[in-house]
Amino acid sequence: MGTISQQGYHHGNLRRAVMDAALEAIGETGPSGWSLRELARRAGVSHAAPAHHFGDKAGLLTAVAAEGYAALSDELERADGDFGEVGAAYVRFAVTRPAYWTVMFRPELYRADDPAVAAARARSRAVLVSGARGAAGRPERERLVMLAAWSLAHGFAGLWLDGALAESAEDGRDPAELARAVFRTAAEGFGSPGD
Amino acid sequence: MGTISQQGYHHGNLRRAVMDAALEAIGETGPSGWSLRELARRAGVSHAAPAHHFGDKAGLLTAVAAEGYAALSDELERADGDFGEVGAAYVRFAVTRPAYWTVMFRPELYRADDPAVAAARARSRAVLVSGARGAAGRPERERLVMLAAWSLAHGFAGLWLDGALAESAEDGRDPAELARAVFRTAAEGFGSPGD
DNA sequence: CCGGGCATCCTGCCAGTGGCAAGATGGGGT
DNA sequence: ACCCCATCTTGCCACTGGCAGGATGCCCGG
């Protein structure tokens, strides 16, 4: 990996260092349970150094969100083809990289209209839409299927991260595995007690 | 209603006034886009007055969350009986009272283990579980059906509030109505292109 | 080899914030 | 009539985000 020189007046890779510190802090105390100054201290620079790279706090979180959407897109694209697997990948991303996910879906914390963020988000959505296109039969159903699947995965991820599913599902199972089962239940239809 | 005396040294109903100011502020700038001092100013009291009623910021948000879960429980119980209606009521609550919803599902902002909150949350969950009990055929399916329906409603609400569904669904439709359609799609099963 | 330009980082400052301590007020019970 | 004490106030402290102006040293042209 080649650790870059981090001594001297110029840090060398402050931008990445602050982003990493931010992700770590977010994982520990939530998306706003820390201060820019604290990140600066962790990175070993002065309290005003991060501002040069991100402008302000919203700027930093904007960068985090953009990186998060890009990473999510990668994950989803890797699972493309199988509709159910896309849902599982969505949940897996949220569970394994909660810091990104938590920021991404709190638009009031960053500049959601930032070009980089918007582009990365559009890429994520494209995978979801194409997944629904494959699963839905008639075209009118496409939108509803996409909304249902997206809502399902998104809701499961959110509830899991909030700890709301802890009691009902902590039989030691992998959350993504449980999500797959839930997804299958919905795909077969949970309205009529079939089978 | 009877507007209570709000002149003089004793406000008369500061607790409620601060809660209302908080709900208003949350609706405007998110669950942490305001300060306790600002709420105090809105209520016309000194900056330290709210502390007497709520302790600290987390205490105030704990009270908001408890009230929110109680209100959600009321809504859900009113729709009990029809499983799909419970889902629609869940979404309707989130959409019509976003300030409550936003706080409730950000456990890092308040004391989630507060007895009042825990009790109110348990009441909400009971409705969901009993709803699933009616819809699921076999008892093993019960948990999966409950998770699927809850995830679906929760995810739809979250996506809607984040504005993520804006483009794909703002044909002027009522969100709860759209949620009903999505719910129906899932209930019938969206995996196989049935019908 | 040298000198300047400029991205990077620093120190200093300000208003605003959350929270605590100690004092003022006055409503309500006895 | 009196006192108790819940309620509200003023005053204070450490900390934060953000801005202004200065210091540093890498890199590039000469």
Side-chain angles (χ1 to χ4, degrees):
Chain A
M1 24 223 72
T3 29
I4 308 179
S5 77
Q6 55 180 20
Q7 310 294 6
Y9 199 92
H10 287 63
H11 182 285
N13 209 0
L14 221 207
R15 184 181 170 90
R16 184 99 294 273
V18 170
M19 290 262 297
D20 289 342
L23 289 169
E24 194 179 319
I26 293 167
E28 291 168 2
T29 51
S32 49
W34 43 269
S35 68
L36 275 180
R37 286 165 123 93
E38 185 187 331
L39 300 189
R41 281 191 291 270
R42 289 201 199 192
V45 294
S46 88
H47 67 87
H52 181 77
H53 295 275
F54 303 102
D56 55 4
K57 205 170 184 177
L60 167 57
L61 291 174
T62 300
V64 170
E67 198 168 78
Y69 272 112
L72 174 61
S73 299
D74 291 344
E75 296 271 354
L76 295 184
E77 282 172 1
R78 196 167 307 140
D80 205 359
D82 187 316
F83 193 30
E85 281 309 307
V86 174
Y90 193 100
V91 171
R92 187 165 41 239
F93 176 84
V95 169
T96 59
R97 307 165 92 167
Y100 281 121
W101 203 86
T102 306
V103 172
M104 287 155 62
F105 294 101
R106 268 168 186 63
E108 81 273 9
L109 294 179
Y110 64 96
R111 283 180 275 276
D113 57 345
D114 178 90
V117 172
R121 181 169 37 211
R123 189 153 75 90
S124 298
R125 171 181 293 240
V127 184
L128 297 177
V129 171
S130 87
R133 189 164 299 143
R138 300 171 305 162
E140 319 91 90
R141 263 178 62 103
E142 188 178 300
R143 202 189 56 162
L144 286 176
V145 168
M146 183 264 209
L147 285 179
W150 191 10
S151 296
L152 191 66
H154 190 76
F156 186 93
L159 289 173
W160 179 275
L161 286 183
D162 283 344
L165 304 183
E167 29 191 290
S168 94
E170 60 161 309
D171 17 355
R173 273 223 257 182
D174 174 35
E177 185 58 36
L178 177 59
R180 233 186 294 262
V182 170
F183 209 83
R184 210 176 313 125
T185 301
E188 293 169 0
F190 57 75
S192 53
D195 171 40
Chain B
M1 18 217 71
T3 30
I4 307 179
S5 77
Q6 55 181 18
Q7 310 294 5
Y9 199 93
H10 286 64
H11 182 284
N13 208 0
L14 221 206
R15 185 182 169 90
R16 184 98 294 268
V18 170
M19 290 261 298
D20 289 341
L23 289 168
E24 196 179 317
I26 293 167
E28 291 167 3
T29 50
S32 48
W34 42 269
S35 68
L36 274 180
R37 286 164 122 95
E38 185 188 331
L39 299 189
R41 281 192 292 270
R42 288 201 199 191
V45 295
S46 86
H47 67 86
H52 181 77
H53 294 276
F54 302 102
D56 56 4
K57 205 170 184 176
L60 168 57
L61 291 173
T62 300
V64 170
E67 198 169 78
Y69 273 112
L72 174 61
S73 299
D74 290 345
E75 296 272 353
L76 295 184
E77 283 173 0
R78 197 168 305 140
D80 205 0
D82 186 317
F83 193 30
E85 281 309 306
V86 174
Y90 193 100
V91 172
R92 188 167 38 241
F93 176 84
V95 170
T96 59
R97 306 165 96 166
Y100 282 122
W101 203 86
T102 306
V103 172
M104 286 156 63
F105 295 101
R106 268 166 185 65
E108 80 273 11
L109 294 179
Y110 63 97
R111 283 180 276 277
D113 56 345
D114 178 90
V117 172
R121 182 169 35 214
R123 189 153 76 91
S124 298
R125 171 180 293 241
V127 183
L128 297 176
V129 171
S130 87
R133 189 163 300 142
R138 300 172 306 163
E140 319 91 270
R141 262 180 62 101
E142 188 178 301
R143 201 189 57 161
L144 286 176
V145 168
M146 183 265 209
L147 285 179
W150 191 10
S151 295
L152 190 67
H154 189 77
F156 186 92
L159 290 173
W160 179 274
L161 287 183
D162 283 344
L165 304 183
E167 29 192 291
S168 95
E170 61 161 306
D171 17 356
R173 274 223 258 181
D174 175 36
E177 185 57 35
L178 177 58
R180 234 187 294 262
V182 171
F183 209 84
R184 209 175 316 127
T185 300
E188 294 168 359
F190 57 76
S192 53
D195 170 41

